[in-house]
Amino acid sequence: MKFISIASGSSGNCQFLEYNNTRILVDAGLSGRKIEENLKSVGIDPETIDAIFVTHEHTDHAKSVGVLSRRHNIKVFTNLETLQAMEVTVKKLKAENVYIFENNRPFKFKDLYINPIDTFHDCAKGCGFAIEGDKKVSLITDTGWVNTESLQKMEGSKLYYIEANHDVEMLINGRYTWPTKKRIMSTKGHLSNENSAEVLEKLLKKEGEQIVLAHLSTENNMPELAKKTCTDFLRGKNILEDIDYKLDVAPRYVPGKSYDL
């Protein structure tokens, strides 16, 4: 099973997964041209993408869902609430390319088992995904918290792609308005670096799992700070980087590492 973060952050999100003869994207939040360029830069032909799985309707996740689907005849998987909310962005999709799932009801697509996980965000009905081929990968961003049910569905993954959106101190002392700060810190906002570390403590089995910290704020975080906060917290729980797990931070504009699980 292969995983690559194609782009990550408030400027646009897109992830690539491959297993056997199945190639999918999770989200398409950059311009169609930029996603195509990023895919080609890591040797992936956009014409070979089978489906786009959409987490929620915000433009940094759904901007080019329609463009890519129409251009390359790609299937689109989404829950009904997200489909309706992103219609203004995505525009018209071919009926035969639209597939509706329900959160928390697993299903199979080609070689993959997909489990849409509830997220808690200021959107219509957000989700993350636990995706299984021969290995399991869990992706969860744009959520103010992670509940017990979602943790159970993510458990046992070999790779965790998880939001570490902001440093709380940077956010509080930053230039955003107070209502915006409250929204980000709320249970319908985003996970902080500390929140992300707390979630990972509950998930990690000390089996060399790969962590990719994602969706970092440009205003209220830094890659080095996100990594340090997470590794320091886990070290305090006797969970050690490079011994018990490995950790990277997803780049914002360009593809990250290719993980062959």
mmCIF file of all heavy atoms in Angstrom, residues 24-28 49-56 61-62 64-80 82-84 86-87 90-101 107 109 129:
data_model
loop_
_atom_site.group_PDB
_atom_site.id
_atom_site.type_symbol
_atom_site.label_atom_id
_atom_site.label_comp_id
_atom_site.label_asym_id
_atom_site.label_seq_id
_atom_site.Cartn_x
_atom_site.Cartn_y
_atom_site.Cartn_z
ATOM 1 N N ILE A 24 -6.593 6.179 -5.546
ATOM 2 C CA ILE A 24 -7.605 7.159 -5.135
ATOM 3 C C ILE A 24 -6.937 8.426 -4.602
ATOM 4 O O ILE A 24 -5.771 8.412 -4.194
ATOM 5 C CB ILE A 24 -8.548 6.594 -4.056
ATOM 6 C CG1 ILE A 24 -7.797 6.376 -2.730
ATOM 7 C CG2 ILE A 24 -9.221 5.302 -4.539
ATOM 8 C CD1 ILE A 24 -8.707 6.087 -1.550
ATOM 9 N N LEU A 25 -7.712 9.500 -4.634
ATOM 10 C CA LEU A 25 -7.357 10.735 -3.943
ATOM 11 C C LEU A 25 -8.319 10.937 -2.794
ATOM 12 O O LEU A 25 -9.508 10.611 -2.899
ATOM 13 C CB LEU A 25 -7.443 11.939 -4.878
ATOM 14 C CG LEU A 25 -6.557 11.959 -6.116
ATOM 15 C CD1 LEU A 25 -6.791 13.237 -6.913
ATOM 16 C CD2 LEU A 25 -5.078 11.815 -5.752
ATOM 17 N N VAL A 26 -7.822 11.479 -1.703
ATOM 18 C CA VAL A 26 -8.685 12.002 -0.647
ATOM 19 C C VAL A 26 -8.607 13.515 -0.743
ATOM 20 O O VAL A 26 -7.540 14.105 -0.543
ATOM 21 C CB VAL A 26 -8.252 11.516 0.745
ATOM 22 C CG1 VAL A 26 -9.085 12.193 1.832
ATOM 23 C CG2 VAL A 26 -8.386 10.000 0.852
ATOM 24 N N ASP A 27 -9.712 14.116 -1.151
ATOM 25 C CA ASP A 27 -9.849 15.560 -1.348
ATOM 26 C C ASP A 27 -9.093 16.052 -2.590
ATOM 27 O O ASP A 27 -8.184 15.383 -3.101
ATOM 28 C CB ASP A 27 -9.415 16.357 -0.119
ATOM 29 C CG ASP A 27 -10.376 16.202 1.043
ATOM 30 O OD1 ASP A 27 -11.562 15.921 0.792
ATOM 31 O OD2 ASP A 27 -9.946 16.368 2.204
ATOM 32 N N ALA A 28 -9.517 17.211 -3.042
ATOM 33 C CA ALA A 28 -8.903 17.862 -4.204
ATOM 34 C C ALA A 28 -9.096 19.367 -4.031
ATOM 35 O O ALA A 28 -9.936 19.988 -4.675
ATOM 36 C CB ALA A 28 -9.540 17.372 -5.504
ATOM 37 N N ILE A 49 -6.303 7.820 -11.929
ATOM 38 C CA ILE A 49 -7.020 7.941 -10.650
ATOM 39 C C ILE A 49 -8.433 7.379 -10.807
ATOM 40 O O ILE A 49 -9.171 7.764 -11.713
ATOM 41 C CB ILE A 49 -7.071 9.408 -10.184
ATOM 42 C CG1 ILE A 49 -5.654 9.969 -10.001
ATOM 43 C CG2 ILE A 49 -7.882 9.532 -8.896
ATOM 44 C CD1 ILE A 49 -4.831 9.275 -8.950
ATOM 45 N N ASP A 50 -8.804 6.491 -9.897
ATOM 46 C CA ASP A 50 -10.119 5.852 -9.966
ATOM 47 C C ASP A 50 -11.209 6.664 -9.289
ATOM 48 O O ASP A 50 -12.368 6.648 -9.729
ATOM 49 C CB ASP A 50 -10.068 4.469 -9.301
ATOM 50 C CG ASP A 50 -9.125 3.526 -10.021
ATOM 51 O OD1 ASP A 50 -9.373 3.248 -11.201
ATOM 52 O OD2 ASP A 50 -8.149 3.068 -9.396
ATOM 53 N N ALA A 51 -10.876 7.338 -8.187
ATOM 54 C CA ALA A 51 -11.926 8.004 -7.405
ATOM 55 C C ALA A 51 -11.334 9.085 -6.524
ATOM 56 O O ALA A 51 -10.152 9.040 -6.153
ATOM 57 C CB ALA A 51 -12.664 6.981 -6.545
ATOM 58 N N ILE A 52 -12.184 10.056 -6.200
ATOM 59 C CA ILE A 52 -11.869 11.086 -5.206
ATOM 60 C C ILE A 52 -12.833 10.895 -4.043
ATOM 61 O O ILE A 52 -14.056 10.856 -4.244
ATOM 62 C CB ILE A 52 -12.011 12.505 -5.765
ATOM 63 C CG1 ILE A 52 -11.130 12.701 -6.996
ATOM 64 C CG2 ILE A 52 -11.675 13.549 -4.692
ATOM 65 C CD1 ILE A 52 -11.410 14.002 -7.746
ATOM 66 N N PHE A 53 -12.294 10.784 -2.835
ATOM 67 C CA PHE A 53 -13.104 10.689 -1.628
ATOM 68 C C PHE A 53 -13.048 12.036 -0.917
ATOM 69 O O PHE A 53 -11.959 12.533 -0.618
ATOM 70 C CB PHE A 53 -12.583 9.577 -0.726
ATOM 71 C CG PHE A 53 -12.863 8.198 -1.276
ATOM 72 C CD1 PHE A 53 -12.096 7.683 -2.317
ATOM 73 C CD2 PHE A 53 -13.900 7.440 -0.779
ATOM 74 C CE1 PHE A 53 -12.362 6.429 -2.844
ATOM 75 C CE2 PHE A 53 -14.172 6.179 -1.287
ATOM 76 C CZ PHE A 53 -13.408 5.670 -2.323
ATOM 77 N N VAL A 54 -14.203 12.618 -0.650
ATOM 78 C CA VAL A 54 -14.273 13.996 -0.154
ATOM 79 C C VAL A 54 -14.586 14.007 1.338
ATOM 80 O O VAL A 54 -15.563 13.395 1.783
ATOM 81 C CB VAL A 54 -15.341 14.796 -0.920
ATOM 82 C CG1 VAL A 54 -15.305 16.261 -0.494
ATOM 83 C CG2 VAL A 54 -15.126 14.678 -2.435
ATOM 84 N N THR A 55 -13.769 14.734 2.106
ATOM 85 C CA THR A 55 -13.987 14.817 3.552
ATOM 86 C C THR A 55 -15.061 15.832 3.925
ATOM 87 O O THR A 55 -15.866 15.583 4.817
ATOM 88 C CB THR A 55 -12.692 15.185 4.290
ATOM 89 O OG1 THR A 55 -12.240 16.487 3.851
ATOM 90 C CG2 THR A 55 -11.597 14.158 4.039
ATOM 91 N N HIS A 56 -15.071 16.981 3.228
ATOM 92 C CA HIS A 56 -16.099 18.003 3.480
ATOM 93 C C HIS A 56 -16.015 19.063 2.385
ATOM 94 O O HIS A 56 -15.115 19.027 1.542
ATOM 95 C CB HIS A 56 -15.974 18.614 4.875
ATOM 96 C CG HIS A 56 -14.718 19.390 5.122
ATOM 97 N ND1 HIS A 56 -13.479 18.810 5.172
ATOM 98 C CD2 HIS A 56 -14.517 20.726 5.343
ATOM 99 C CE1 HIS A 56 -12.567 19.735 5.416
ATOM 100 N NE2 HIS A 56 -13.172 20.905 5.510
ATOM 101 N N HIS A 61 -10.560 21.737 0.366
ATOM 102 C CA HIS A 61 -10.677 20.283 0.237
ATOM 103 C C HIS A 61 -11.462 19.868 -1.006
ATOM 104 O O HIS A 61 -11.289 18.746 -1.490
ATOM 105 C CB HIS A 61 -11.350 19.689 1.477
ATOM 106 C CG HIS A 61 -10.515 19.821 2.704
ATOM 107 N ND1 HIS A 61 -9.749 18.803 3.211
ATOM 108 C CD2 HIS A 61 -10.296 20.894 3.514
ATOM 109 C CE1 HIS A 61 -9.101 19.222 4.293
ATOM 110 N NE2 HIS A 61 -9.416 20.494 4.488
ATOM 111 N N ALA A 62 -12.304 20.744 -1.516
ATOM 112 C CA ALA A 62 -13.215 20.347 -2.600
ATOM 113 C C ALA A 62 -13.071 21.178 -3.868
ATOM 114 O O ALA A 62 -13.799 20.948 -4.841
ATOM 115 C CB ALA A 62 -14.665 20.419 -2.104
ATOM 116 N N SER A 64 -11.339 21.389 -6.604
ATOM 117 C CA SER A 64 -11.207 20.831 -7.960
ATOM 118 C C SER A 64 -11.809 19.440 -8.103
ATOM 119 O O SER A 64 -11.505 18.733 -9.065
ATOM 120 C CB SER A 64 -9.726 20.791 -8.360
ATOM 121 O OG SER A 64 -9.222 22.102 -8.476
ATOM 122 N N VAL A 65 -12.675 19.069 -7.183
ATOM 123 C CA VAL A 65 -13.341 17.763 -7.290
ATOM 124 C C VAL A 65 -14.079 17.658 -8.621
ATOM 125 O O VAL A 65 -13.955 16.671 -9.354
ATOM 126 C CB VAL A 65 -14.297 17.543 -6.107
ATOM 127 C CG1 VAL A 65 -15.180 16.322 -6.355
ATOM 128 C CG2 VAL A 65 -13.516 17.376 -4.805
ATOM 129 N N GLY A 66 -14.851 18.693 -8.947
ATOM 130 C CA GLY A 66 -15.617 18.673 -10.187
ATOM 131 C C GLY A 66 -14.742 18.733 -11.423
ATOM 132 O O GLY A 66 -14.954 17.988 -12.386
ATOM 133 N N VAL A 67 -13.759 19.606 -11.392
ATOM 134 C CA VAL A 67 -12.857 19.769 -12.541
ATOM 135 C C VAL A 67 -12.161 18.455 -12.866
ATOM 136 O O VAL A 67 -12.139 17.998 -14.019
ATOM 137 C CB VAL A 67 -11.816 20.872 -12.254
ATOM 138 C CG1 VAL A 67 -10.721 20.865 -13.315
ATOM 139 C CG2 VAL A 67 -12.482 22.237 -12.177
ATOM 140 N N LEU A 68 -11.586 17.821 -11.849
ATOM 141 C CA LEU A 68 -10.844 16.578 -12.082
ATOM 142 C C LEU A 68 -11.771 15.438 -12.487
ATOM 143 O O LEU A 68 -11.424 14.618 -13.339
ATOM 144 C CB LEU A 68 -10.058 16.196 -10.829
ATOM 145 C CG LEU A 68 -8.898 17.129 -10.465
ATOM 146 C CD1 LEU A 68 -8.285 16.717 -9.136
ATOM 147 C CD2 LEU A 68 -7.831 17.153 -11.552
ATOM 148 N N SER A 69 -12.939 15.385 -11.875
ATOM 149 C CA SER A 69 -13.898 14.333 -12.223
ATOM 150 C C SER A 69 -14.319 14.442 -13.677
ATOM 151 O O SER A 69 -14.343 13.441 -14.409
ATOM 152 C CB SER A 69 -15.120 14.397 -11.306
ATOM 153 O OG SER A 69 -16.061 13.415 -11.664
ATOM 154 N N ARG A 70 -14.628 15.654 -14.111
ATOM 155 C CA ARG A 70 -15.059 15.850 -15.509
ATOM 156 C C ARG A 70 -13.902 15.634 -16.480
ATOM 157 O O ARG A 70 -14.072 15.027 -17.538
ATOM 158 C CB ARG A 70 -15.641 17.255 -15.673
ATOM 159 C CG ARG A 70 -16.999 17.448 -14.994
ATOM 160 C CD ARG A 70 -17.595 18.798 -15.328
ATOM 161 N NE ARG A 70 -16.855 19.898 -14.724
ATOM 162 C CZ ARG A 70 -17.079 20.390 -13.501
ATOM 163 N NH1 ARG A 70 -18.021 19.862 -12.737
ATOM 164 N NH2 ARG A 70 -16.374 21.406 -13.038
ATOM 165 N N ARG A 71 -12.732 16.103 -16.130
ATOM 166 C CA ARG A 71 -11.587 16.044 -17.043
ATOM 167 C C ARG A 71 -11.077 14.619 -17.231
ATOM 168 O O ARG A 71 -10.663 14.237 -18.335
ATOM 169 C CB ARG A 71 -10.469 16.939 -16.492
ATOM 170 C CG ARG A 71 -9.295 17.137 -17.430
ATOM 171 C CD ARG A 71 -8.308 18.118 -16.820
ATOM 172 N NE ARG A 71 -8.861 19.460 -16.745
ATOM 173 C CZ ARG A 71 -8.312 20.454 -16.023
ATOM 174 N NH1 ARG A 71 -7.220 20.243 -15.322
ATOM 175 N NH2 ARG A 71 -8.871 21.650 -16.014
ATOM 176 N N HIS A 72 -11.110 13.817 -16.151
ATOM 177 C CA HIS A 72 -10.502 12.484 -16.208
ATOM 178 C C HIS A 72 -11.510 11.361 -15.940
ATOM 179 O O HIS A 72 -11.101 10.211 -15.755
ATOM 180 C CB HIS A 72 -9.353 12.399 -15.204
ATOM 181 C CG HIS A 72 -8.299 13.450 -15.396
ATOM 182 N ND1 HIS A 72 -7.459 13.456 -16.498
ATOM 183 C CD2 HIS A 72 -7.967 14.536 -14.651
ATOM 184 C CE1 HIS A 72 -6.634 14.499 -16.396
ATOM 185 N NE2 HIS A 72 -6.923 15.169 -15.292
ATOM 186 N N ASN A 73 -12.793 11.708 -15.925
ATOM 187 C CA ASN A 73 -13.855 10.721 -15.709
ATOM 188 C C ASN A 73 -13.644 9.950 -14.404
ATOM 189 O O ASN A 73 -13.696 8.716 -14.362
ATOM 190 C CB ASN A 73 -13.937 9.741 -16.882
ATOM 191 C CG ASN A 73 -15.266 9.000 -16.920
ATOM 192 O OD1 ASN A 73 -16.315 9.546 -16.563
ATOM 193 N ND2 ASN A 73 -15.241 7.744 -17.323
ATOM 194 N N ILE A 74 -13.426 10.689 -13.325
ATOM 195 C CA ILE A 74 -13.122 10.112 -12.013
ATOM 196 C C ILE A 74 -14.401 10.037 -11.177
ATOM 197 O O ILE A 74 -15.191 10.985 -11.131
ATOM 198 C CB ILE A 74 -12.066 10.965 -11.283
ATOM 199 C CG1 ILE A 74 -10.757 10.992 -12.081
ATOM 200 C CG2 ILE A 74 -11.824 10.450 -9.879
ATOM 201 C CD1 ILE A 74 -9.717 11.957 -11.521
ATOM 202 N N LYS A 75 -14.571 8.932 -10.486
ATOM 203 C CA LYS A 75 -15.705 8.774 -9.577
ATOM 204 C C LYS A 75 -15.515 9.664 -8.356
ATOM 205 O O LYS A 75 -14.384 9.909 -7.910
ATOM 206 C CB LYS A 75 -15.839 7.308 -9.139
ATOM 207 C CG LYS A 75 -16.154 6.346 -10.288
ATOM 208 C CD LYS A 75 -16.148 4.908 -9.805
ATOM 209 C CE LYS A 75 -16.566 3.956 -10.918
ATOM 210 N NZ LYS A 75 -15.643 3.989 -12.075
ATOM 211 N N VAL A 76 -16.632 10.134 -7.792
ATOM 212 C CA VAL A 76 -16.601 10.985 -6.600
ATOM 213 C C VAL A 76 -17.429 10.319 -5.505
ATOM 214 O O VAL A 76 -18.606 10.018 -5.701
ATOM 215 C CB VAL A 76 -17.161 12.392 -6.898
ATOM 216 C CG1 VAL A 76 -17.250 13.216 -5.613
ATOM 217 C CG2 VAL A 76 -16.294 13.100 -7.935
ATOM 218 N N PHE A 77 -16.789 10.091 -4.361
ATOM 219 C CA PHE A 77 -17.458 9.499 -3.200
ATOM 220 C C PHE A 77 -17.598 10.556 -2.112
ATOM 221 O O PHE A 77 -16.620 11.196 -1.728
ATOM 222 C CB PHE A 77 -16.660 8.317 -2.657
ATOM 223 C CG PHE A 77 -16.742 7.078 -3.502
ATOM 224 C CD1 PHE A 77 -15.995 6.966 -4.668
ATOM 225 C CD2 PHE A 77 -17.559 6.022 -3.132
ATOM 226 C CE1 PHE A 77 -16.055 5.819 -5.452
ATOM 227 C CE2 PHE A 77 -17.637 4.870 -3.905
ATOM 228 C CZ PHE A 77 -16.890 4.767 -5.071
ATOM 229 N N THR A 78 -18.827 10.721 -1.606
ATOM 230 C CA THR A 78 -19.114 11.739 -0.603
ATOM 231 C C THR A 78 -20.392 11.366 0.129
ATOM 232 O O THR A 78 -21.204 10.594 -0.389
ATOM 233 C CB THR A 78 -19.271 13.122 -1.276
ATOM 234 O OG1 THR A 78 -19.701 14.085 -0.309
ATOM 235 C CG2 THR A 78 -20.293 13.083 -2.405
ATOM 236 N N ASN A 79 -20.574 11.901 1.324
ATOM 237 C CA ASN A 79 -21.895 11.741 1.929
ATOM 238 C C ASN A 79 -22.850 12.772 1.332
ATOM 239 O O ASN A 79 -22.420 13.736 0.679
ATOM 240 C CB ASN A 79 -21.840 11.793 3.466
ATOM 241 C CG ASN A 79 -21.313 13.107 4.019
ATOM 242 O OD1 ASN A 79 -21.713 14.185 3.596
ATOM 243 N ND2 ASN A 79 -20.399 13.026 4.982
ATOM 244 N N LEU A 80 -24.122 12.556 1.519
ATOM 245 C CA LEU A 80 -25.131 13.391 0.858
ATOM 246 C C LEU A 80 -25.047 14.837 1.296
ATOM 247 O O LEU A 80 -25.159 15.757 0.476
ATOM 248 C CB LEU A 80 -26.530 12.831 1.141
ATOM 249 C CG LEU A 80 -27.697 13.582 0.493
ATOM 250 C CD1 LEU A 80 -27.572 13.593 -1.030
ATOM 251 C CD2 LEU A 80 -29.031 12.950 0.916
ATOM 252 N N THR A 82 -22.484 16.556 2.325
ATOM 253 C CA THR A 82 -21.332 17.216 1.710
ATOM 254 C C THR A 82 -21.573 17.464 0.228
ATOM 255 O O THR A 82 -21.236 18.531 -0.302
ATOM 256 C CB THR A 82 -20.063 16.373 1.919
ATOM 257 O OG1 THR A 82 -19.783 16.295 3.318
ATOM 258 C CG2 THR A 82 -18.871 16.974 1.196
ATOM 259 N N LEU A 83 -22.162 16.497 -0.453
ATOM 260 C CA LEU A 83 -22.472 16.671 -1.876
ATOM 261 C C LEU A 83 -23.338 17.904 -2.093
ATOM 262 O O LEU A 83 -23.069 18.723 -2.982
ATOM 263 C CB LEU A 83 -23.177 15.430 -2.419
ATOM 264 C CG LEU A 83 -23.603 15.496 -3.890
ATOM 265 C CD1 LEU A 83 -22.389 15.588 -4.805
ATOM 266 C CD2 LEU A 83 -24.465 14.302 -4.255
ATOM 267 N N GLN A 84 -24.359 18.051 -1.300
ATOM 268 C CA GLN A 84 -25.260 19.200 -1.439
ATOM 269 C C GLN A 84 -24.540 20.500 -1.105
ATOM 270 O O GLN A 84 -24.721 21.513 -1.785
ATOM 271 C CB GLN A 84 -26.484 19.004 -0.541
ATOM 272 C CG GLN A 84 -27.374 17.856 -0.977
ATOM 273 C CD GLN A 84 -28.443 17.506 0.036
ATOM 274 O OE1 GLN A 84 -28.326 17.804 1.236
ATOM 275 N NE2 GLN A 84 -29.506 16.861 -0.427
ATOM 276 N N MET A 86 -21.323 21.202 -1.320
ATOM 277 C CA MET A 86 -20.224 21.579 -2.213
ATOM 278 C C MET A 86 -20.681 21.803 -3.652
ATOM 279 O O MET A 86 -19.861 22.055 -4.526
ATOM 280 C CB MET A 86 -19.104 20.530 -2.166
ATOM 281 C CG MET A 86 -19.421 19.202 -2.800
ATOM 282 S SD MET A 86 -17.983 18.080 -2.669
ATOM 283 C CE MET A 86 -18.635 16.639 -3.540
ATOM 284 N N GLU A 87 -21.978 21.739 -3.882
ATOM 285 C CA GLU A 87 -22.491 21.882 -5.250
ATOM 286 C C GLU A 87 -22.074 23.201 -5.884
ATOM 287 O O GLU A 87 -21.721 23.257 -7.065
ATOM 288 C CB GLU A 87 -24.013 21.762 -5.245
ATOM 289 C CG GLU A 87 -24.627 21.780 -6.629
ATOM 290 C CD GLU A 87 -26.130 21.572 -6.587
ATOM 291 O OE1 GLU A 87 -26.697 21.513 -5.492
ATOM 292 O OE2 GLU A 87 -26.718 21.490 -7.673
ATOM 293 N N VAL A 90 -18.298 22.584 -6.780
ATOM 294 C CA VAL A 90 -17.987 21.455 -7.654
ATOM 295 C C VAL A 90 -18.708 21.548 -8.997
ATOM 296 O O VAL A 90 -18.234 21.044 -10.008
ATOM 297 C CB VAL A 90 -18.334 20.136 -6.921
ATOM 298 C CG1 VAL A 90 -18.241 18.942 -7.849
ATOM 299 C CG2 VAL A 90 -17.403 19.962 -5.732
ATOM 300 N N LYS A 91 -19.864 22.204 -9.000
ATOM 301 C CA LYS A 91 -20.695 22.312 -10.207
ATOM 302 C C LYS A 91 -21.242 20.943 -10.610
ATOM 303 O O LYS A 91 -21.349 20.049 -9.799
ATOM 304 C CB LYS A 91 -19.934 22.963 -11.363
ATOM 305 C CG LYS A 91 -19.229 24.256 -11.001
ATOM 306 C CD LYS A 91 -20.171 25.359 -10.572
ATOM 307 C CE LYS A 91 -19.410 26.661 -10.351
ATOM 308 N NZ LYS A 91 -20.272 27.705 -9.758
ATOM 309 N N LYS A 92 -21.538 20.774 -11.866
ATOM 310 C CA LYS A 92 -22.234 19.582 -12.333
ATOM 311 C C LYS A 92 -21.290 18.385 -12.436
ATOM 312 O O LYS A 92 -20.208 18.475 -13.000
ATOM 313 C CB LYS A 92 -22.886 19.840 -13.686
ATOM 314 C CG LYS A 92 -23.797 18.706 -14.168
ATOM 315 C CD LYS A 92 -24.526 19.111 -15.434
ATOM 316 C CE LYS A 92 -25.414 17.994 -15.942
ATOM 317 N NZ LYS A 92 -26.446 17.584 -14.974
ATOM 318 N N LEU A 93 -21.735 17.267 -11.874
ATOM 319 C CA LEU A 93 -21.021 16.005 -11.998
ATOM 320 C C LEU A 93 -21.885 15.025 -12.780
ATOM 321 O O LEU A 93 -23.104 15.066 -12.716
ATOM 322 C CB LEU A 93 -20.739 15.411 -10.612
ATOM 323 C CG LEU A 93 -19.793 16.191 -9.694
ATOM 324 C CD1 LEU A 93 -19.850 15.624 -8.290
ATOM 325 C CD2 LEU A 93 -18.364 16.152 -10.232
ATOM 326 N N LYS A 94 -21.229 14.122 -13.516
ATOM 327 C CA LYS A 94 -21.985 13.071 -14.173
ATOM 328 C C LYS A 94 -22.647 12.192 -13.124
ATOM 329 O O LYS A 94 -21.991 11.758 -12.170
ATOM 330 C CB LYS A 94 -21.062 12.205 -15.029
ATOM 331 C CG LYS A 94 -20.498 12.901 -16.259
ATOM 332 C CD LYS A 94 -19.617 11.928 -17.034
ATOM 333 C CE LYS A 94 -19.014 12.587 -18.263
ATOM 334 N NZ LYS A 94 -18.129 11.639 -19.002
ATOM 335 N N ALA A 95 -23.928 11.919 -13.300
ATOM 336 C CA ALA A 95 -24.660 11.123 -12.313
ATOM 337 C C ALA A 95 -23.995 9.771 -12.079
ATOM 338 O O ALA A 95 -23.934 9.283 -10.943
ATOM 339 C CB ALA A 95 -26.099 10.932 -12.768
ATOM 340 N N GLU A 96 -23.467 9.179 -13.152
ATOM 341 C CA GLU A 96 -22.863 7.846 -13.013
ATOM 342 C C GLU A 96 -21.526 7.871 -12.273
ATOM 343 O O GLU A 96 -20.992 6.817 -11.900
ATOM 344 C CB GLU A 96 -22.661 7.195 -14.389
ATOM 345 C CG GLU A 96 -21.734 7.938 -15.324
ATOM 346 C CD GLU A 96 -22.453 8.919 -16.248
ATOM 347 O OE1 GLU A 96 -23.536 9.406 -15.856
ATOM 348 O OE2 GLU A 96 -21.944 9.177 -17.343
ATOM 349 N N ASN A 97 -20.984 9.073 -12.028
ATOM 350 C CA ASN A 97 -19.724 9.188 -11.295
ATOM 351 C C ASN A 97 -19.911 9.600 -9.848
ATOM 352 O O ASN A 97 -18.929 9.818 -9.134
ATOM 353 C CB ASN A 97 -18.792 10.190 -11.992
ATOM 354 C CG ASN A 97 -18.047 9.567 -13.155
ATOM 355 O OD1 ASN A 97 -17.927 8.355 -13.241
ATOM 356 N ND2 ASN A 97 -17.555 10.402 -14.058
ATOM 357 N N VAL A 98 -21.139 9.733 -9.388
ATOM 358 C CA VAL A 98 -21.404 10.168 -8.011
ATOM 359 C C VAL A 98 -21.838 8.972 -7.171
ATOM 360 O O VAL A 98 -22.785 8.261 -7.514
ATOM 361 C CB VAL A 98 -22.490 11.257 -7.972
ATOM 362 C CG1 VAL A 98 -22.801 11.644 -6.527
ATOM 363 C CG2 VAL A 98 -22.041 12.486 -8.762
ATOM 364 N N TYR A 99 -21.141 8.757 -6.068
ATOM 365 C CA TYR A 99 -21.438 7.659 -5.147
ATOM 366 C C TYR A 99 -21.608 8.233 -3.739
ATOM 367 O O TYR A 99 -20.738 8.972 -3.270
ATOM 368 C CB TYR A 99 -20.319 6.619 -5.162
ATOM 369 C CG TYR A 99 -20.191 5.899 -6.478
ATOM 370 C CD1 TYR A 99 -19.555 6.506 -7.569
ATOM 371 C CD2 TYR A 99 -20.722 4.628 -6.665
ATOM 372 C CE1 TYR A 99 -19.435 5.857 -8.790
ATOM 373 C CE2 TYR A 99 -20.618 3.966 -7.877
ATOM 374 C CZ TYR A 99 -19.970 4.590 -8.932
ATOM 375 O OH TYR A 99 -19.866 3.949 -10.143
ATOM 376 N N ILE A 100 -22.704 7.890 -3.110
ATOM 377 C CA ILE A 100 -23.022 8.412 -1.789
ATOM 378 C C ILE A 100 -22.746 7.351 -0.725
ATOM 379 O O ILE A 100 -23.191 6.210 -0.848
ATOM 380 C CB ILE A 100 -24.507 8.833 -1.701
ATOM 381 C CG1 ILE A 100 -24.833 9.872 -2.783
ATOM 382 C CG2 ILE A 100 -24.834 9.377 -0.308
ATOM 383 C CD1 ILE A 100 -24.053 11.157 -2.679
ATOM 384 N N PHE A 101 -21.988 7.738 0.296
ATOM 385 C CA PHE A 101 -21.796 6.862 1.442
ATOM 386 C C PHE A 101 -22.412 7.507 2.684
ATOM 387 O O PHE A 101 -22.769 8.688 2.678
ATOM 388 C CB PHE A 101 -20.320 6.544 1.677
ATOM 389 C CG PHE A 101 -19.429 7.748 1.928
ATOM 390 C CD1 PHE A 101 -19.468 8.450 3.133
ATOM 391 C CD2 PHE A 101 -18.528 8.185 0.958
ATOM 392 C CE1 PHE A 101 -18.651 9.541 3.368
ATOM 393 C CE2 PHE A 101 -17.687 9.281 1.182
ATOM 394 C CZ PHE A 101 -17.758 9.956 2.395
ATOM 395 N N PHE A 107 -17.530 0.324 3.525
ATOM 396 C CA PHE A 107 -17.875 -0.247 2.226
ATOM 397 C C PHE A 107 -16.589 -0.569 1.475
ATOM 398 O O PHE A 107 -15.503 -0.125 1.851
ATOM 399 C CB PHE A 107 -18.750 0.716 1.414
ATOM 400 C CG PHE A 107 -18.103 2.049 1.125
ATOM 401 C CD1 PHE A 107 -17.427 2.271 -0.070
ATOM 402 C CD2 PHE A 107 -18.176 3.097 2.046
ATOM 403 C CE1 PHE A 107 -16.836 3.497 -0.341
ATOM 404 C CE2 PHE A 107 -17.591 4.320 1.786
ATOM 405 C CZ PHE A 107 -16.916 4.522 0.591
ATOM 406 N N PHE A 109 -14.428 -0.478 -2.119
ATOM 407 C CA PHE A 109 -14.260 0.093 -3.452
ATOM 408 C C PHE A 109 -13.035 -0.564 -4.076
ATOM 409 O O PHE A 109 -11.913 -0.406 -3.593
ATOM 410 C CB PHE A 109 -14.066 1.607 -3.403
ATOM 411 C CG PHE A 109 -13.706 2.205 -4.742
ATOM 412 C CD1 PHE A 109 -14.623 2.203 -5.777
ATOM 413 C CD2 PHE A 109 -12.441 2.733 -4.973
ATOM 414 C CE1 PHE A 109 -14.292 2.726 -7.027
ATOM 415 C CE2 PHE A 109 -12.103 3.258 -6.205
ATOM 416 C CZ PHE A 109 -13.036 3.248 -7.235
ATOM 417 N N PHE A 129 -11.162 9.212 7.091
ATOM 418 C CA PHE A 129 -11.253 7.871 6.512
ATOM 419 C C PHE A 129 -10.237 6.933 7.151
ATOM 420 O O PHE A 129 -9.073 7.312 7.336
ATOM 421 C CB PHE A 129 -10.989 7.904 5.006
ATOM 422 C CG PHE A 129 -12.016 8.663 4.224
ATOM 423 C CD1 PHE A 129 -11.742 9.948 3.758
ATOM 424 C CD2 PHE A 129 -13.256 8.110 3.950
ATOM 425 C CE1 PHE A 129 -12.685 10.656 3.035
ATOM 426 C CE2 PHE A 129 -14.209 8.821 3.225
ATOM 427 C CZ PHE A 129 -13.923 10.091 2.770
#
